[in-house]
Amino acid sequence: MIMKTILRMLCAVAVLGMAACGVRYGVTHPLKWHEMNDASVVGDLVTVSDGGELVSEHSYTDFILTGQAFTEPDASASVWFHVGDNSGYEVLFHNGPMDGQRMTGSLATVRNLYKSMAADTTWFDFSISVRSRNITIAVNGVDVVCYTEPGQIFRTEENAGRRLSSGRIVIRGDKGTVKFRGLEVTPLAPGTVNPCDTMPPVDETVDQIIRLQQRNFPVIDYHVHLKGGLTKEMAHAKSMNYGINYGVAPNVGEGGVGRMLADDAEAIDYFNEVSAHPFLMGAQGEGRRWIVQFSPEVLDRFDYFFTDAMTVVDRGRISRIYRPEEVYWDGRSKQQYMDMIVDQTVKILTNEPADIYANATYIPEDSMNDDYALYWTDGRVDRVLDVLQEYGIALEISPRYRIPSFDVIRKAKDRGIKFTFGTNNVDADFGRCEYAIQAIEECGLTPDDIWFPSMGTRKGRKAVDYNNFGRK
């Protein structure tokens, strides 16, 4: 680490003004170094490894930094800016599987990302821009962070220095070897505005997401659908503004609401359409025939796959239990009907290989949900949790339906079952995972309780056509 006294001396130069440092606004120049500690610079190639560090020659306030980076497998480094005495923002460089580590482009502890738009052992482009109160980070030409620092920020004591000011640019190696090349910086005039920054800053005095980010608690909504007026561009902007990573998923199968993909070709087209955006790429099995409509090879392209038990096969009939007209009592009591729902849930999760049990523990709202605990008895809950535990399936916490109950979540946590958050939005106006955040506090969830795609087991399981839909 750089000595505090050296930093004070370096930052004092900034008071002389950009002109005195030989830097002019709007003029791009190679990034030059004032200090190098256990780092290599050969021409425009910079190499850092564990503990290596470089400090820029000049201080910057508003600027655009561009270049390319190259990460060895499991390596990580960071680019800091506005570095002064105990201050500075940190941009992370780390690629690899989605395993819970923060990924390339993360504005650390403020906008943490869990999927990278880059890959190891391949040079990739990046840019870091500061325009007035706005910070934008792009990876391979895709904006992954667009954060506007509000007038009143929330920072923990540990992160108090992560705020806009002015200072040096510093590259630090953390693990393994990371290389940078072609680093160029363009100083910008004070007050420069990012024209793409059109959403109002989040009020961090009350926002719960920034508090989770400060704890490096993964904030991912795995269950977002592009429907009801929500476009991929809108989802991209909302995700960056709110600080919530989105998993965007189409419905594959039949019988659901919104865009349905009917076969492999449509699934591939959708994947190609959306994969250029910084979303986790999921797919949802809708209805019960998807296991004979789609090949494992196509579904395996997606980062994760989930399904639910909101559509069941009841006495040979397809029944969407979220539609009152399709709840067929057939002379059964509600308790008997609940036994059927649990039986179907167990069959679905046993025979349909999915990573996540979505809309978990949903029961008909108009007739049963008001007495949720009456129907989700300990025995019934245990039957479902047994299957989740056996196959390594994650349990979705649904902010839309406010399920499962906290009692069910606590039971699942005690068994070591992992969790995801999933809104299952119907339109473009949806919340910020409020019920899931409440569950974190009420049930004592930690980052170790959260599921990531690297934990998925579905690719080792075979889909079983237990309803004989594939037979002529």
Side-chain angles (χ1 to χ4, degrees):
M1 296 297 291
I2 302 170
M3 298 291 292
K4 289 183 180 180
T5 54
I6 295 176
L7 277 173
R8 291 191 186 101
M9 292 172 61
L10 293 174
C11 293
V13 178
V15 302
L16 300 177
M18 296 294 288
C21 294
V23 175
R24 293 181 295 167
Y25 298 131
V27 177
T28 301
H29 61 87
L31 192 59
K32 297 181 180 180
W33 307 108
H34 183 276
E35 294 284 341
M36 289 183 288
N37 301 290
D38 296 325
S40 169
V41 178
V42 180
D44 74 341
L45 179 65
V46 172
T47 304
V48 293
S49 56
D50 307 22
E53 189 171 70
L54 300 96
V55 183
S56 68
E57 183 177 13
H58 301 301
S59 289
Y60 301 92
T61 303
D62 289 4
F63 65 89
I64 300 174
L65 173 66
T66 61
Q68 292 186 314
F70 181 101
T71 58
E72 297 287 354
D74 201 32
S76 59
S78 57
V79 173
W80 291 72
F81 61 90
H82 288 187
V83 174
D85 189 6
N86 297 318
S87 67
Y89 271 114
E90 179 186 15
V91 179
L92 303 180
F93 289 78
H94 173 76
N95 300 309
M98 286 172 282
D99 58 3
Q101 297 185 72
R102 297 173 296 170
M103 293 295 180
T104 292
S106 295
L107 185 64
T109 74
V110 176
R111 291 291 183 265
N112 294 321
L113 308 175
Y114 294 93
K115 178 177 181 176
S116 178
M117 298 299 291
D120 286 329
T121 68
T122 301
W123 285 101
F124 59 90
D125 299 328
F126 75 92
S127 67
I128 301 169
S129 304
V130 178
R131 302 177 182 91
S132 189
R133 310 303 298 174
N134 178 254
I135 302 168
T136 303
I137 302 168
V139 178
N140 277 332
V142 178
D143 285 348
V144 294
V145 169
C146 185
Y147 170 71
T148 298
E149 189 180 270
Q152 289 183 277
I153 63 173
F154 175 83
R155 299 288 185 269
T156 60
E157 182 178 355
E158 179 183 4
N159 296 315
R162 297 182 190 238
R163 58 193 309 153
L164 290 169
S165 56
S166 182
R168 305 284 168 155
I169 294 171
V170 176
I171 296 179
R172 292 174 179 161
D174 175 54
K175 181 181 180 182
T177 299
V178 180
K179 302 176 182 179
F180 298 87
R181 70 183 182 189
L183 296 173
E184 295 184 330
V185 63
T186 306
L188 302 175
T192 301
V193 175
N194 177 6
C196 296
D197 179 30
T198 58
M199 299 186 73
V202 171
D203 182 358
E204 293 186 358
T205 63
V206 295
D207 181 52
Q208 295 301 311
I209 302 300
I210 190 65
R211 285 156 173 77
L212 293 176
Q213 295 278 12
Q214 292 283 286
R215 293 162 50 190
N216 292 324
F217 195 111
V219 185
I220 307 171
D221 188 338
Y222 280 93
H223 196 160
V224 175
H225 294 303
L226 300 180
K227 64 182 181 182
L230 181 68
T231 65
K232 54 184 179 294
E233 293 79 13
M234 291 171 62
H236 187 170
K238 287 168 71 75
S239 173
M240 291 193 298
N241 183 253
Y242 295 159
I244 302 174
N245 292 241
Y246 283 171
V248 171
N251 293 103
V252 297
E254 61 182 8
V257 178
R259 182 175 179 180
M260 300 293 303
L261 307 183
D263 53 35
D264 281 355
E266 290 188 5
I268 292 171
D269 286 345
Y270 178 94
F271 183 89
N272 293 335
E273 171 191 339
V274 180
S275 59
H277 291 263
F279 306 131
L280 283 76
M281 293 291 297
Q284 177 178 4
E286 188 69 48
R288 305 274 61 92
R289 290 187 173 89
W290 68 266
I291 57 175
V292 298
Q293 291 177 266
F294 297 87
S295 67
E297 294 76 18
V298 168
L299 294 182
D300 284 352
R301 295 189 182 198
F302 292 87
D303 297 327
Y304 60 96
F305 188 87
F306 60 97
T307 193
D308 60 34
M310 295 177 75
T311 299
V312 298
V313 178
D314 182 15
R315 296 181 174 178
R317 298 166 300 194
I318 291 290
S319 172
R320 292 169 287 189
I321 64 174
Y322 55 91
R323 296 187 175 187
E325 68 273 16
E326 293 187 22
V327 175
Y328 307 114
W329 298 107
D330 293 340
R332 290 171 291 189
S333 68
K334 291 181 179 179
Q335 291 289 355
Q336 290 171 326
Y337 192 83
M338 186 67 199
D339 285 335
M340 181 275 296
I341 290 176
V342 174
D343 288 343
Q344 282 292 304
T345 301
V346 170
K347 286 182 180 179
I348 289 166
L349 296 175
T350 299
N351 295 292
E352 301 181 16
D355 295 307
I356 302 167
Y357 170 32
N359 301 310
T361 70
Y362 179 90
I363 51 180
E365 292 182 287
D366 291 348
S367 53
M368 299 174 68
N369 197 56
D370 286 346
D371 295 313
Y372 178 97
L374 177 65
Y375 299 108
W376 278 111
T377 60
D378 287 344
R380 287 167 176 157
V381 170
D382 285 341
R383 285 192 64 197
V384 174
L385 296 185
D386 285 344
V387 181
L388 300 185
Q389 193 168 13
E390 179 178 359
Y391 294 106
I393 302 169
L395 181 66
E396 179 186 86
I397 300 174
S398 170
R400 174 181 172 184
Y401 294 117
R402 298 181 66 81
I403 52 176
S405 69
F406 292 157
D407 284 343
V408 173
I409 293 171
R410 292 186 188 102
K411 283 178 175 287
K413 176 179 167 61
D414 288 343
R415 286 171 170 249
I417 292 169
K418 302 296 184 180
F419 299 91
T420 63
F421 308 152
T423 296
N424 188 15
N425 60 300
V426 296
D427 53 31
D429 184 18
F430 57 100
R432 306 184 192 182
C433 294
E434 288 86 354
Y435 180 73
I437 293 171
Q438 187 180 357
I440 292 171
E441 305 305 325
E442 294 286 339
C443 303
L445 301 185
T446 72
D448 289 338
D449 294 313
I450 304 304
W451 181 89
F452 284 93
S454 64
M455 302 175 184
T457 61
R458 66 182 164 94
K459 293 182 181 180
R461 298 175 59 199
K462 182 180 179 180
V464 178
D465 182 15
Y466 61 105
N467 289 304
N468 298 324
F469 286 134
R471 297 181 181 178
K472 300 290 185 181

